[in-house]
Every structure is written in C-alpha cells, then in structure tokens.
Amino acid sequence: MTFWAFEHDHFLPLDQVILSPADAGFTFGATITDQCRTYRQKPFRLYDHLHRFFRSASLVGMPVPYSFERIGAILQELLERNRKQLPAAEWTLTWLLTPGDVGYFLGRPGGLMEAQPHFLAYSYPLQTERFSLYYTQGATVMLSRTTQSVPASVISPQIKQRSRIHWWMAEREIKSRHPQAQALLLDSQGHFTETASANVLLVSQGKVYSPRRNNILHGISLQVTEELCQLCGIHFEETDLTEKDIGEAEEAFLSSTPYGIAPIGLFEDRTLPLHGPIFTQLRQAWDEYVLH
C-alpha cells in the first residue's frame, strides 16, 4: 500500500520522495517541522499546529514558500487522498521545511542563502499500539545524567525543529538503564524541561504543575490540557520543577500529539498510580472533547 506525500508543488507517492544530501536540513541540521493527528479522521487543532510552524520558521528566519491557507489546503488534500485507502484509520500529518540544496556541497554554484526552501508533507496511519502500554503499565520517564537541555539563549525551545543530536545522546543513555524509558532533560539550574516527544506534568495536592513555558516547547496537547483543567475546575500552574518534586508528586503524566495525555507509571525509581483522580478526570474530559 502506497501513501501520498507533497513535494515540489505536487502530490506523489511517499516512496518517491527524494531529499538531496546537499540539503541544509542535513548539512546544517536546519529543519523546521510540525505534526498533528486525526480524531475520527479529522485533523485535531490543525491551525494551532500551523501557527506554531510559521512561528518556528520566523524565529530562525527561514522563508515558508506557501501561505498559511495553502499549507492548510495541502494537508487537508493529503489526508483525503490517504484516507481513501484506509477509511477507518486515524492518521498522522507531518510537514517539514528546510533551507534547500546548498550547491557547493555537490560541487556546484550556490551558497547557503541562495538555496530555495524545500517543503515536504506526508501522512501515515497512526500506530496507536505504540502507546497502548502507557495505559496498562504507564510510561517510564528517567532523568538524563549526561545531557542537559539546550539553553534558550542558544536555541529557543519555541522552535519545533529536528536539530536533535542532544536528544539522541540522552535517549541512548536512558535506554541503557531501561529500554522503554523516555529521557527527561534538566536545564542548567536543575529544572525539568521536557522529553524528546512530550511535555511532562506533575500533580501535587490535587493541582497540576507544568514547567514554565519559556523553558519548553509550546505543546498543543499541553495547551489543551490547560484548557481542560480550567473546564474541570483543576488548578493549573507553570512553575520551576526539580528532581525533588518527583518525591512529592501524587501523579504524573505526559502530553503529546499522538496520544493526547498518558500516565507516567515509573518516574525515576518511584512508582506512581496510573488511574489517579486528576488524570482520570482529565482523560475523560479529553476523550469527550476530541470524540464528541
């Protein structure tokens, strides 16, 4: 079964997509990205993801070759083309932007700022089984002891991008300790930031706490979680969280596009409840919000 992608102004089979080795997405690690998923075959908070994508591109000065409306239309058509093959599936939509080919990396004329931006979008069925164990065993999260978050003064955490060699190093370290664990990075002051794919939230005294947003990516699922807390009358607060807070947490959970929210069952060496009252309430509210 072949799925559709969009590249160079037209739709094509995903297996025909070609990225040049001279693209600055490879040679400089300069790739802006975003991703959303469907619920009931409809994109969830697509325009929030698009706003974040354009904000990320603006923060790095990377021109986007299409308008906001055009990319929205491309993604909608891409989804419709792929849905015809698996009408009952839920889908992931992913799109990327790079500065394009740098001629001198192939012995041709053309420097970095002369390249033409390269936009690519693709879609594939959401693999819900990847996260099914989160709801029966809980996610496992461990603190990296060898890799810190990139300081916001170096690269803004508001840029959703693929320059992620530090995450690769952190994940290798953590998975040597526990093969299913996700690495959570600390900043230079010892405050929680995030994992490579999720925001982290703690529950203490019935209140939900998130790391400060100036230190983490503005997660769309995190934003939805805050909205649901307000709807449910649950206190939500951004604050500095440290390793000490793990020992005081009553519950902890992740928020991320593929699964929304999921409980943390093992946080460092501490076992936490999978169905605590706050997570249970928020999970029910989440399901009602996305499925009705």
Side-chain angles (χ1 to χ4, degrees), residues 12-152:
L12 73 167
L14 180 56
D15 58 8
Q16 293 181 20
V17 167
I18 298 176
L19 293 175
S20 167
D23 193 299
F26 291 128
T27 58
F28 281 80
T31 303
I32 300 303
T33 187
D34 220 298
Q35 180 186 78
C36 78
R37 63 157 290 176
T38 66
Y39 287 97
R40 302 178 73 176
Q41 292 79 51
K42 296 179 181 180
F44 181 66
R45 304 286 284 250
L46 173 60
Y47 294 112
D48 288 342
H49 286 276
L50 283 172
H51 279 296
R52 185 172 65 182
F53 174 73
F54 273 82
R55 184 170 63 248
S56 295
S58 176
L59 286 169
V60 301
M62 196 180 297
V64 183
Y66 303 106
S67 69
F68 185 101
E69 293 75 16
R70 174 65 174 141
I71 293 180
I74 289 168
L75 295 172
Q76 293 282 5
E77 181 174 348
L78 183 62
L79 178 60
E80 289 305 311
R81 284 171 175 259
N82 283 328
R83 278 185 57 197
K84 293 176 181 177
Q85 301 184 71
L86 291 172
E90 298 294 355
W91 294 84
T92 293
L93 285 163
T94 301
W95 56 102
L96 309 169
L97 178 68
T98 74
D101 287 0
V102 181
Y104 57 70
F105 283 113
L106 289 176
R108 300 196 299 242
L112 179 62
M113 299 307 165
E114 301 170 68
Q116 296 299 311
H118 186 155
F119 178 83
L120 166 66
Y122 59 98
S123 180
Y124 55 88
L126 184 68
Q127 298 174 307
T128 55
E129 64 274 8
R130 283 184 58 201
F131 312 108
S132 59
L133 287 179
Y134 287 0
Y135 300 100
T136 57
Q137 299 179 13
T140 298
V141 175
M142 294 185 173
L143 298 170
S144 173
R145 304 300 180 182
T146 61
T147 304
Q148 287 186 348
S149 292
V150 176

